[in-house]
Amino acid sequence: HGTQVASVIASSSSEYELVKGVTNQARIMPLKIYDRGFSVSASTLKDAIAYAAQRGVKIVNCSFVAAGFEDEYPEVLDEALA
């Protein structure tokens, strides 16, 4: 899902392509948040978003499922961007 969203945002187009992204000047930074067991923690998510923010990322697409800490999302984001 995240790959599809990224392509919608940043795909370039020409007269021969069927898809045009929002902007062809976007740069994509994939961030790994899932472990080998396909689970994610609030701490891992915070670290990944902080890593991106420290490198100048202005928009983060959170296209993932992470059951168990939905109530913590606002706090996780605040801590990551502090």
Side-chain angles (χ1 to χ4, degrees):
H1 175 78
T3 302
Q4 181 180 11
V5 171
S7 69
V8 168
I9 294 168
S11 64
S12 60
S13 67
S14 71
E15 62 185 279
Y16 301 106
E17 295 175 1
L18 299 175
V19 176
K20 180 176 181 180
V22 174
T23 177
N24 62 359
Q25 299 196 5
R27 295 184 330 210
I28 304 296
M29 176 188 288
L31 300 169
K32 181 179 176 184
I33 61 169
Y34 287 100
D35 64 17
R36 291 181 187 206
F38 202 65
S39 62
V40 63
S41 68
S43 172
T44 304
L45 178 59
K46 179 183 67 100
D47 291 347
I49 294 172
Y51 175 88
Q54 291 164 1
R55 283 152 183 79
V57 170
K58 293 180 175 49
I59 298 172
V60 176
N61 170 30
C62 292
S63 291
F64 60 88
V65 175
F69 61 92
E70 294 88 349
D71 294 339
E72 296 178 60
Y73 287 164
E75 182 179 318
V76 167
L77 292 174
D78 287 345
E79 288 180 24
L81 300 174

